[in-house]
Amino acid sequence: MSVFNTSEKGISTFFLTGIPGVEHAHFWISIPICIMYLVAILGNCTILFLIKTETSLHEPMYYLLSMLAFSDLGLSISSLPTMLRVFLFNATGISSDACFAQEFFIHGFSAVESSVLLVMAIDRFVAIHDPLRYTSIFTPNRVFKTGFVLATLCILLVLPFPFMLKRLKFCKKSILSHSYCLHQDVMKLACSDNRINIIYGFLVALLSLLNLVFISVSYMLILKIVLGITSHKGRLKVLNTCFSHICAVFIFYVPIITLAALHRFAKNASPVIRVIIADIFLLVPPLMNPIVYSVKSQQIKNVILAKLCEKQH
């Protein structure tokens, strides 16, 4: 038998979980989830459309924002089908192949978003540290090449996940902890040796953590530059250019760090809390990033207002 085939006697269907203890309210919970998904998809599609069609937004910073919107869109679309099936129709079953495919896309788009946030931090540092050379360093061509390389590396990084799960044998347990599939959640159900999965999963998580470290270093350097500015108004102006990105970093990493802390230091914490925080990780960044950038970016705000005025006339 091939190493990539599960045993015929093994489990071929997993069962997803909504929010434990409130199954009777899943239908009502599905309503805000639907609204959040619709707003997230509409918001990110709007950002992509505006950046593509408006020449005033054809700048490196907005190209990076389009990559962030694309990863958010992918994250939403990857998790949307099973979350709605669980909460709206109480359809919890999912085939192993569909589950492995979903976890690949969720982890893949998460890795892309983490990498884009890192490049955006470097972008902000270069813009503040050496504004005169910024346009020559962050050219559109370099931004596109960087985006392509990052996306390729992220795909290659998470590509082994589904194949590593495929080689495992699932005998008894088939109930997952969330309303979508994650690598670490699925591998815990295996009745065969999953040490390779654990080690590789840890290495991928470590790389994501390294991105956060480099982002933190970038902002330490930015803060050093800001503190060297004598004008209070000048400091605020510089920090204001970083506000949207700082919000995006917090929105993305706070749920991840919170979950890691719960697993490490609060193992007896209610599973409901863990499920809600994990859902926040998939729901909130795609929802909030377009809103934050639309509110804080004057150029995007002006383009949106101009489009609305055109429609009114």
Side-chain angles (χ1 to χ4, degrees):
M1 184 180 293
S2 171
V3 73
F4 293 120
N5 290 328
T6 52
S7 171
E8 293 181 2
K9 296 180 181 179
I11 292 168
S12 60
T13 301
F14 296 104
F15 294 93
L16 302 166
T17 304
I19 300 179
V22 292
E23 287 81 3
H24 60 283
H26 274 181
F27 175 79
W28 301 108
I29 295 173
S30 70
I31 296 174
I33 288 176
C34 285
I35 293 172
M36 291 174 77
Y37 269 120
L38 287 173
V39 174
I41 292 171
L42 179 63
N44 286 292
C45 285
T46 301
I47 292 289
L48 289 170
F49 174 76
L50 291 177
I51 293 173
K52 180 178 174 58
T53 57
E54 291 297 322
T55 54
S56 62
L57 300 180
H58 290 179
E59 298 177 9
M61 181 177 70
Y62 295 108
Y63 289 139
L64 289 171
L65 177 57
S66 68
M67 295 178 195
L68 186 68
F70 179 78
S71 60
D72 279 334
L73 196 60
L75 207 55
S76 293
I77 294 173
S78 300
S79 55
L80 173 63
T82 55
M83 286 193 79
L84 290 186
R85 284 178 68 239
V86 170
F87 286 100
L88 197 56
F89 304 109
N90 196 33
T92 59
I94 182 172
S95 69
S96 58
D97 288 338
C99 185
F100 301 159
Q102 185 184 46
E103 62 89 24
F104 165 73
F105 285 111
I106 289 177
H107 288 294
F109 283 114
S110 297
V112 170
E113 179 147 351
S114 175
S115 300
V116 171
L117 288 173
L118 172 59
V119 179
M120 292 177 87
I122 298 171
D123 168 85
R124 290 299 83 207
F125 169 70
V126 173
I128 294 168
H129 179 261
D130 200 351
L132 296 179
R133 295 183 58 207
Y134 171 74
T135 52
S136 63
I137 296 173
F138 269 87
T139 62
N141 189 39
R142 282 181 181 170
V143 170
F144 285 127
K145 285 181 178 178
T146 302
F148 177 77
V149 170
L150 284 177
T152 303
L153 288 175
C154 290
I155 290 171
L156 292 176
L157 186 66
V158 301
L159 187 60
F161 276 167
F163 297 104
M164 292 170 73
L165 291 175
K166 191 80 173 174
R167 62 178 286 277
L168 297 177
K169 185 177 180 182
F170 301 91
C171 311
K172 300 175 183 179
K173 299 178 181 179
S174 61
I175 300 176
L176 298 169
S177 304
H178 305 287
S179 51
Y180 45 84
C181 295
L182 296 175
H183 178 260
Q184 60 269 32
D185 197 21
V186 177
M187 72 177 184
K188 289 178 182 177
L189 303 182
C191 56
S192 57
D193 187 7
N194 64 357
R195 282 178 294 181
I196 296 175
N197 298 67
I198 293 172
I199 293 169
Y200 189 75
F202 175 76
L203 291 175
V204 172
L206 188 62
L207 287 174
S208 180
L209 184 61
L210 281 177
N211 282 350
L212 179 59
V213 171
F214 291 138
I215 290 170
S216 301
V217 170
S218 296
Y219 273 101
M220 286 178 187
L221 296 173
I222 289 172
L223 187 59
K224 183 181 178 181
I225 296 169
V226 170
L227 292 175
I229 300 173
T230 54
S231 168
H232 178 70
K233 187 177 180 180
R235 290 180 183 179
L236 291 177
K237 185 178 180 181
V238 171
L239 287 175
N240 191 53
T241 63
C242 303
F243 181 81
S244 299
H245 180 256
I246 292 171
C247 287
V249 170
F250 272 94
I251 289 168
F252 182 79
Y253 278 104
V254 166
I256 296 175
I257 294 171
T258 304
L259 271 178
L262 285 175
H263 281 291
R264 179 66 181 87
F265 302 108
K267 294 181 179 179
N268 295 325
S270 170
V272 175
I273 296 175
R274 295 181 183 180
V275 168
I276 291 174
I277 294 173
D279 288 346
I280 287 172
F281 166 68
L282 287 183
L283 289 168
V284 174
L287 172 72
M288 291 304 299
N289 285 339
I291 296 172
V292 170
Y293 275 95
S294 297
V295 171
K296 291 302 296 179
S297 173
Q298 191 62 45
Q299 281 183 271
I300 292 179
K301 192 189 301 183
N302 291 339
V303 169
I304 293 173
L305 291 173
K307 292 286 184 184
L308 292 174
C309 290
E310 283 178 13
K311 288 184 179 180
Q312 288 179 355
H313 293 293

